[in-house]
């Protein structure tokens, strides 16, 4: 937080720094070390390779029987020391799968078959490493995940914009937007931004509202949902959604999401508390 506070002062936002920081959220930044899959322990946090699953696991598919790609798994015991918001369960393995062939954007209520998140609670000795279906031509190279905390600020294209408008002048708003674009953890040189919780690194606009609308059956691929009579009522609960995982493209591991895009897995905090990971909604944004 001190680094973020100092950075705000450095760009002449010092007078409003404390007001801005009340909207800061701590995130869990994840970085990768490419590692052969057979050198990674069963149940360890990783991107790519083969998933560690229970013996009775059935590989997820779309409604058209297209197998989903395994993206990553999070060992929640490893993540827990950094979970300052107490968002996640303290134990288990959270595994993420996605239709990297069709690459659904998440603006259609029918996109829900294109992703699946599993919360496995078995002990590691009950897991085995499962090969992906032969129907999947490509694969994601394996990499161990490492975690640390990193403070984040809201994008102007988020529900928090109305709060920022109340405290920033027009000139300060421009400075804030420039700051968000340039801001980064000065202690790191990573180009990818994988993160758990916190504010997302948005590319194409507000996802809080999109999650709220599309999970209530409204199509967001055009203006239909945004002009719908229910929008105002639903919009009031946009901030109920939390960023479960932001997964960035990582060409070095052999995968690209859209055009250098990111996948965002969203969940309501109450659903996460109750371990209802079938309630997750996933959005793809890219450049």
């Amino acid at each position: 937080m001190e680094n973020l506070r100092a950075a705000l002062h450095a760009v002449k936002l010092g007078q409003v720094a404390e007001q801005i920081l009340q909207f800061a959220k701590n995130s869990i930044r994840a970085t990768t070390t490419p590692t052969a899959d057979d050198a990674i322990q069963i149940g360890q946090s990783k991107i790519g390779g083969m998933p560690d699953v229970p013996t009775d696991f059935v590989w997820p598919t779309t409604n058209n029987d297209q197998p989903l790609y395994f993206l990553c798994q999070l060992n929640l015991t490893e993540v827990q020391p950094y979970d300052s918001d107490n968002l996640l369960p303290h134990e288990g393995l959270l595994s993420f799968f996605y239709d990297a062939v069709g690459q659904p954007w998440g603006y259609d209520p029918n996109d829900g078959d294109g992703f699946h998140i599993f919360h496995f609670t078995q002990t590691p000795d009950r897991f085995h490493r499962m090969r992906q279906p032969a129907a999947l031509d490509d694969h994601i190279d394996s990499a161990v995940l490492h975690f640390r905390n990193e403070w984040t600020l809201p994008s102007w294209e988020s529900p928090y914009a109305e709060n920022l408008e109340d405290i920033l002048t027009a000139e300060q708003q421009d400075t804030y937007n420039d700051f968000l674009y340039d801001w980064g953890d000065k202690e790191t040189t990573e180009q990818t931004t994988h993160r758990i919780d916190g504010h997302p690194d948005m590319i194409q606009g507000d996802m809080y509202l999109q999650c709220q609308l599309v999970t209530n059956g409204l199509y967001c691929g055009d203006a239909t949902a945004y002009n719908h009579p229910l929008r105002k009522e639903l919009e009031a609960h946009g901030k109920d959604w939390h960023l479960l995982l932001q997964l960035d493209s990582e060409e070095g591991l052999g995968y690209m999401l859209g055009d250098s895009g990111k996948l965002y897995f969203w969940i309501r905090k109450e659903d996460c508390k109750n371990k209802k990971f079938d309630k997750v909604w996933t959005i793809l944004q890219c450049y």
Side-chain angles (χ1 to χ4, degrees), residues 6 16 31 92 109 112 129 159 218 275 283:
V16 288
T31 56
R129 197 152 280 175
L218 301 181
K275 305 176 184 178
I283 294 174

Side-chain angles (χ1 to χ4, degrees), residues 1-10 13-14 17-18 21 179 183:
M1 179 71 86
E2 288 306 315
N3 288 342
L4 185 53
R5 179 178 285 108
L8 288 170
H9 279 268
L13 288 173
E18 297 310 311
L21 290 174
F179 173 78
W183 167 251

Side-chain angles (χ1 to χ4, degrees), residues 213 218-219 222-232:
L213 295 177
L218 301 181
Y219 180 78
D222 55 25
T224 300
Y226 301 97
N227 294 329
H228 197 279
L230 286 176
R231 172 186 169 159
K232 186 173 183 180

Side-chain angles (χ1 to χ4, degrees), residues 68 97-99 104 106 111-117 265 280-283:
L68 305 186
F97 292 77
Y98 177 70
D99 178 13
D111 285 345
D113 66 329
F115 48 86
H116 204 113
I117 294 82
F265 296 86
V280 167
W281 193 255
T282 302
I283 294 174

Side-chain angles (χ1 to χ4, degrees), residues 58-167:
V58 176
W59 197 281
T61 65
T62 67
N63 293 337
N64 295 323
D65 296 323
Q66 168 65 45
L68 305 186
Y69 275 87
F70 167 66
L71 297 178
C72 68
Q73 62 189 34
L74 303 176
N75 182 313
L76 297 178
T77 300
E78 296 173 359
V79 174
Q80 196 275 327
Y82 306 94
D83 186 12
S84 58
D85 195 35
N86 201 30
L87 177 67
L88 298 167
H90 294 174
E91 296 177 332
L93 195 67
L94 209 55
S95 296
F96 295 78
F97 292 77
Y98 177 70
D99 178 13
V101 176
Q103 295 201 355
W105 293 92
Y107 56 66
D108 189 329
N110 295 317
D111 285 345
D113 66 329
F115 48 86
H116 204 113
I117 294 82
F118 296 90
H119 181 217
F120 302 126
T121 56
Q122 294 87 343
T123 55
D125 63 317
R126 302 295 299 275
F127 289 116
H128 74 289
R129 197 152 280 175
M130 187 175 188
R131 292 187 178 278
Q132 68 180 26
L136 297 178
D137 296 328
D138 299 316
H139 72 281
I140 299 173
D141 292 337
S142 55
V144 171
L145 284 170
H146 312 278
F147 306 107
R148 70 173 186 275
N149 287 115
E150 182 176 85
W151 285 97
T152 60
L153 288 172
S155 162
W156 205 259
E157 295 178 309
S158 77
Y160 297 90
E162 59 185 25
N163 302 108
L164 295 170
E165 287 175 349
D166 291 339
I167 61 176

